[in-house]
Amino acid sequence: MKTLVIYSSQTSNTKKLAEAVVETLGEDCTLVPVAQAPDPVGYDLVALGFWLQAGKPDPKASAYLEKVGATRLFLFATHGAASESAHAQHAMAHAASLAPSAEILGRFSCQGEVNPKVLEKVRAKNPPPPWIDDAVTAVGHPDTDDLDRLRETLKSCLAGL
């Protein structure tokens, strides 16, 4: 299966996930940062990874999602929020809504360690963002368990193809 794996990453958290996607899917994968992502036409699958900004995919990933068209899509993300939090779930739903013609094959998100400078800045906001209390548990993530869960999720999503 010819796969395009695209990622947007500020701290390498999402890049780690993208590399795990490539390792899982094998040889026929093209890995590129979102700023260099080609048109998805001609690929059997597009796997797009992003970080969250204000509860949504970052602006570069959002812009790419809006132009993917009718393609098979696997979404993955890293964030400071707890993985099963409403914040993370809403962000993944928003990502899917940006690509209304795409066939969403699956989604995966996990915590990613937040840059300490970013944490300092957002803690000063009034009110602080809803995920701020979860950020302490994001330290060290994504870890090997996160990467294993990503691999299993991806395999499960693609099993019927």
Side-chain angles (χ1 to χ4, degrees), residues 119-140:
L119 279 177
E120 184 179 322
K121 184 177 177 182
V122 297
R123 279 193 177 109
K125 290 185 176 185
N126 189 14
W131 56 268
I132 196 68
D133 290 336
D134 295 336
V136 68
T137 61
V139 174

Side-chain angles (χ1 to χ4, degrees), residues 52 55 79 81-95 107 109:
L52 301 187
H79 43 76
S83 294
E84 299 302 320
S85 69
H87 182 77
Q89 291 176 8
H90 289 300
M92 293 304 282
H94 182 76
R107 304 172 192 182
S109 78

